[in-house]
Amino acid sequence: MKTHQPLTQPEVQRFAALAARLAENVNSVVLGKPQVVRLALTALFAQGHVLLEDVPGVGKTTLARAIAATVTGEWRRIQFTPDLLPSDVSGVTIFNQATRGFEFHPGPVFANIVIADEINRASPKTQSALLEVMEERTVTVDGVRHPVPQPFLVVATQNPVEMDGTYRLPEAQLDRFLVKLSVGYPDEAVEVEVLRGATVRSPEALPAVTDTVEIAELIGMAQRVHIAEPLYAYAVRLAAATRNHPHVRVGVSPRGVIALTRAACAYALIDGRGWIMPEDLKTLAGPVFAHRLLLSSDAQVRGVNAAEVLRQAIASVPVPLPSGQTVPAQG
């Protein structure tokens, strides 16, 4: 149970105002996708990582670069290819003849924001080098641990098409990402605006809105958001509903439930609230839970997808009310 000092209204307002400025900055480049931008910022404030999966050319890398440009801090981009080695990600120890000693040369993962482009193009061994530091937030080379800078956010992209020569991320490793997002195609009006070049800028031209010190403060605020006792139980029941669904072979783990509540805290603060509501958990269940589900073979043969299963699971769980009662499940 949280024992943090409750948030004051000025703190909540400060958080919401800065989050709005960050979102506005990113939205000036990533046109027509405000909810995707909000969910990516939610992951940043919740100390999670983002996996962007979509077809080529819809702005996955642009979104990642825009977030990096908006925050003053170190950022690096790693283009994953089949010949990329783990040391190309984490770094390597080299013998310095001048000092007669070994020196650690950090890899591109030592940055506040790391863009891992087309992560499924690299070998599983190289993928593991990145996924390990995502979880541990340290890199171990030759038995020596090296902490990465804080805050630390990985935005990885992968294409669901052109799968020849790619290495699909295993479900156990997908669990390392707080949210999995799809940018999707823009609507007609937005696409016309893109063609005209109206208000479109390069992510590198974006002005920085904040720095890593302030982001660290906001992360601390998100950890102090109030969660009512019934909502803890509601989050657990949502996960349990996925485990008991007949089309699910492996449901959401306890780590997934923790990820959901952490994301809900940041999501509520972006909305200008110092407490979470059931709607926050329901809204975030898709991006937080869907990639953690492993469907049964029968469900895959029938063409059932994780999003459909998740909708059914959420609808089956009664929603708690402030009075302590519940709204009956929707069927």
Side-chain angles (χ1 to χ4, degrees):
M1 186 177 298
K2 291 187 178 182
T3 58
H4 298 293
Q5 190 73 17
L7 287 167
T8 64
Q9 190 58 30
E11 286 178 317
V12 173
Q13 292 173 348
R14 175 194 167 202
F15 189 108
L18 182 56
R21 287 166 50 208
L22 288 167
E24 181 182 6
N25 214 34
V26 177
N27 283 325
S28 67
V29 172
V30 184
L31 301 178
K33 299 296 177 181
Q35 183 63 7
V36 174
V37 171
R38 179 175 177 176
L39 290 172
L41 293 177
T42 296
L44 172 63
F45 297 134
Q47 288 188 292
H49 305 289
V50 181
L51 177 62
L52 297 170
E53 182 180 77
D54 217 323
V55 296
V58 294
K60 300 185 301 296
T61 304
T62 299
L63 172 60
R65 289 164 58 197
I67 294 173
T70 300
V71 179
T72 301
E74 290 290 326
W75 73 275
R76 296 287 186 272
R77 180 174 178 266
I78 309 173
Q79 182 65 51
F80 279 73
T81 56
D83 60 347
L84 193 72
L85 299 175
S87 58
D88 295 330
V89 174
S90 58
V92 65
T93 301
I94 298 176
F95 183 75
N96 188 327
Q97 292 188 352
T99 61
R100 309 299 296 175
F102 288 93
E103 295 180 352
F104 176 65
H105 290 241
V109 77
F110 284 85
N112 298 111
I113 299 177
V114 177
I115 302 171
D117 230 350
E118 296 189 287
I119 188 175
N120 55 332
R121 299 251 174 233
S123 67
K125 188 173 184 179
T126 303
Q127 291 175 1
S128 297
L130 176 65
L131 294 164
E132 180 183 358
V133 69
M134 286 167 55
E135 181 69 17
E136 306 295 335
R137 299 181 184 268
T138 60
V139 172
T140 302
V141 177
D142 296 332
V144 180
R145 294 168 64 90
H146 305 274
V148 295
Q150 298 298 327
F152 178 65
L153 170 70
V154 172
V155 182
T157 72
Q158 66 176 9
N159 298 327
V161 295
E162 300 177 1
M163 298 301 289
D164 291 342
T166 65
Y167 302 87
R168 181 173 171 269
L169 289 173
E171 284 76 10
Q173 295 184 342
L174 284 173
D175 197 37
R176 305 291 176 89
F177 292 96
L178 181 76
V179 293
K180 180 181 177 183
L181 306 176
S182 174
V183 178
Y185 290 111
D187 58 31
E188 181 178 323
V190 171
E191 197 160 4
V192 169
E193 189 175 356
V194 170
L195 290 176
R196 288 174 176 168
T199 71
V200 176
R201 291 180 291 173
S202 168
E204 283 75 15
L206 288 176
V209 173
T210 185
D211 56 23
T212 54
V213 174
E214 192 165 29
I215 291 294
E217 293 178 13
L218 299 184
I219 289 172
M221 289 185 195
Q223 297 171 351
R224 294 160 53 198
V225 170
H226 176 69
I227 304 179
E229 284 300 319
L231 293 182
Y232 283 114
Y234 181 56
V236 171
R237 288 169 188 153
L238 289 175
T242 68
R243 301 166 194 161
N244 299 327
H245 196 284
H247 287 152
V248 175
R249 180 153 58 96
V250 179
V252 175
S253 67
R255 177 161 61 180
V257 183
I258 294 172
L260 178 63
T261 54
R262 280 171 42 203
C265 290
Y267 193 83
L269 268 182
I270 292 174
D271 202 34
R273 288 179 283 108
W275 66 91
I276 72 169
M277 302 188 300
E279 288 74 14
D280 298 326
L281 297 173
K282 292 172 68 175
T283 299
L284 292 167
V288 175
F289 278 179
H291 63 286
R292 291 177 161 88
L293 298 181
L294 188 59
L295 302 184
S296 64
S297 301
D298 180 63
Q300 295 178 36
V301 170
R302 292 171 181 267
V304 178
N305 58 44
E308 180 182 344
V309 169
L310 196 54
R311 281 194 297 270
Q312 296 173 3
I314 293 172
S316 69
V317 181
V319 180
L321 297 175
S323 61
Q325 299 177 331
T326 58
V327 175
Q330 299 174 8

